[in-house]
Amino acid sequence: MQFIDLKTQYARIEKDVRARMDAVLSHGQFVMGPEVQELEERLADFVGVKHCVSLSSGTDALLVAMMALEIGRGDEVITTPFTFIATGEMIALLGARPVFVDIDPVTYTIDPERLEAAMTGRTRAIMPVSLYGQCANMDAIDEIARRHNLPVIEDAAQSFGALYKGRRSCGLSQIGCTSFFPAKPLGAYGDGGACFTDDEGLAKAMREIRNHGQDRRYHHPRLGINGRLDTLQAAILLSKMDIFPDEVEARSRLGSRYSELFQERGAVSSAVGGAGLLTPYVGPENLSVYAQYTIQVPKRDAVVKQLQDSGIPTAVHYPVLLNDQPVFHVSTQAGSTPVSASIAESVLSLPMHPYLSEAAQVEVVDAVVQAVEAVSGDA
């Protein structure tokens, strides 16, 4: 069994992918070719914003977004510790300080009620992370940010395609950033990313920054990076965009079915922090794309070993909080986010992709229930 199945997806779109790649090889515009602009227009239309700026990775998308907002040395950016290193890494790379705020124990996304207590005179932005395919509580975050005149950057690397109150992820704040890493809901065959905004000035700045800060050839009004998306990756993403709405629907359906199967087995704990298995909560205002289907289990290492013996692949996102990473110890307070610390010890991601069969889901659920029962019986 595969954790993520990209081969089945490729078999579905192989003919179109090859045709689009051949077109790029024929015209030879490998950097900023016409497919890049076509992709940006389609992505902006999909999200429902005016501007999409494609980039070389989701990590660079975060960096370019903050550079466009002129965040730099001595500034602070509030974010979550329960995420991939890139979120905090790009803040620190600009000389700013990541300020880690604990998460909601139900959604695993940043807790809006804790934001204002973390603000100081140096706070320049809030960067919530939409985790495991589900958007953060963006309305509450945006309202707090408005009161304090702060921009919000949505790190939507795991939630592209998701809905929050009928609006698409990446279109929920001043700037939305996503990743097209191959394992993401919309993935290229290499690195890629994008920023989304309705702000004309920010879009212009981000386009210049991704191309060495130039507004025209050999004229550089700002510092920038080499952050352009390859034309070949744009062509591949265009092929995938044709089937992406179907895949979003499949992800939502399969994620819900996982939860239903666990409920049918009577294996789900009744409360957060209980001793048993806990399935992911998706609020009624949200449609999750289940970048990962992530549960909580007791004695995770023992459960993982049992599943491995049964041929079920798993992954853990994320076992070490950012504020506990050695690179951040100098500038942050380690161990100050107890909810995140507790959840990081028990989360476990199961096989999840749009081509997962119902039989495979039953096999996974049965194996997980048996493993949890076995390790619980060893207590």
Side-chain angles (χ1 to χ4, degrees):
M1 183 182 297
Q2 297 184 66
F3 188 74
I4 296 174
D5 184 0
L6 296 178
K7 292 181 180 179
T8 299
Q9 182 198 57
Y10 178 61
R12 180 180 178 185
I13 59 175
E14 179 180 2
K15 184 176 180 180
D16 190 63
V17 167
R18 288 184 176 275
R20 288 184 181 273
M21 291 182 69
D22 284 346
V24 175
L25 295 172
S26 294
H27 67 56
Q29 298 178 57
F30 301 116
V31 178
M32 299 304 290
E35 287 82 0
V36 173
Q37 182 175 347
E38 181 184 353
L39 176 67
E40 290 178 342
E41 290 171 355
R42 287 190 65 178
L43 290 172
D45 182 65
F46 178 82
V47 170
V49 297
K50 295 177 181 177
H51 306 283
C52 168
V53 180
S54 62
L55 289 147
S56 51
S57 70
T59 301
D60 280 343
L62 297 175
L63 179 67
V64 168
M66 286 186 286
M67 290 176 71
L69 292 167
E70 299 182 349
I71 292 169
R73 190 163 304 279
D75 294 333
E76 294 179 351
V77 177
I78 295 174
T79 192
T80 166
F82 193 54
T83 182
F84 184 59
I85 185 70
T87 310
E89 181 182 35
M90 292 302 98
I91 297 169
L93 192 65
L94 288 172
R97 177 176 179 264
V99 175
F100 297 115
V101 168
D102 214 349
I103 60 176
D104 181 283
V106 175
T107 65
Y108 312 153
T109 58
I110 197 166
D111 187 347
E113 295 185 1
R114 300 173 183 265
L115 289 176
E116 289 183 295
M119 293 178 183
T120 71
R122 294 180 178 271
T123 304
R124 286 291 315 281
I126 303 171
M127 187 183 290
V129 176
S130 294
L131 196 68
Y132 297 151
Q134 178 174 210
C135 295
N137 187 352
M138 295 300 293
D139 279 359
I141 295 167
D142 286 339
E143 174 57 30
I144 293 167
R146 275 192 294 271
R147 291 205 303 266
H148 295 270
N149 196 29
L150 294 171
V152 175
I153 305 166
E154 182 194 6
D155 180 344
Q158 296 183 22
S159 61
F160 190 75
L163 290 172
Y164 172 80
K165 298 184 179 181
R167 295 174 289 150
R168 290 285 181 195
S169 180
C170 286
L172 306 173
S173 61
Q174 280 91 335
I175 304 176
C177 302
T178 199
S179 168
F180 300 130
F181 183 78
K184 301 301 183 186
L186 179 63
Y189 292 154
D191 279 314
C195 291
F196 298 82
T197 187
D198 279 323
D199 188 300
E200 182 97 27
L202 286 175
K204 181 177 184 295
M206 290 189 290
R207 289 192 180 101
E208 292 173 1
I209 292 166
R210 75 169 171 192
N211 194 23
H212 299 286
Q214 68 177 11
D215 60 357
R216 58 187 184 274
R217 192 166 175 80
Y218 296 127
H219 188 262
H220 304 263
R222 63 177 82 238
L223 286 176
I225 64 170
N226 180 358
R228 301 172 302 237
L229 178 71
D230 288 341
T231 307
L232 280 168
Q233 298 301 339
I236 291 162
L237 288 166
L238 282 167
S239 290
K240 292 196 174 191
M241 278 297 292
D242 291 339
I243 62 170
F244 188 57
D246 289 346
E247 292 189 338
V248 168
E249 188 280 328
R251 284 179 173 277
S252 178
R253 172 172 44 80
L254 291 167
S256 296
R257 187 168 188 271
Y258 254 142
S259 296
E260 290 166 2
L261 288 170
F262 279 117
Q263 290 285 355
E264 289 171 5
R265 301 298 191 278
V268 181
S269 175
S270 60
V272 175
L277 182 152
L278 191 65
T279 53
Y281 171 81
V282 177
E285 73 280 7
N286 282 345
L287 181 145
S288 177
V289 289
Y290 290 99
Q292 292 87 28
Y293 184 87
T294 302
I295 61 177
Q296 290 189 57
V297 295
K299 300 181 179 179
R300 182 176 63 201
D301 289 348
V303 170
V304 168
K305 177 63 169 61
Q306 294 242 0
L307 292 175
Q308 184 178 23
D309 292 344
S310 300
I312 306 296
T314 61
V316 177
H317 314 278
Y318 300 92
V320 181
L321 303 181
L322 296 194
N323 51 331
D324 289 331
Q325 294 287 356
V327 70
F328 292 127
H329 275 181
V330 173
S331 61
T332 64
Q333 182 180 355
S336 59
T337 51
V339 177
S340 300
S342 175
I343 289 174
E345 293 178 353
S346 61
V347 287
L348 182 66
S349 297
L350 305 178
M352 183 66 199
H353 54 82
Y355 304 96
L356 191 65
S357 71
E358 294 187 357
Q361 284 192 289
V362 171
E363 181 183 353
V364 171
V365 170
D366 285 346
V368 170
V369 171
Q370 292 170 13
V372 170
E373 289 175 347
V375 302
S376 298
D378 291 340

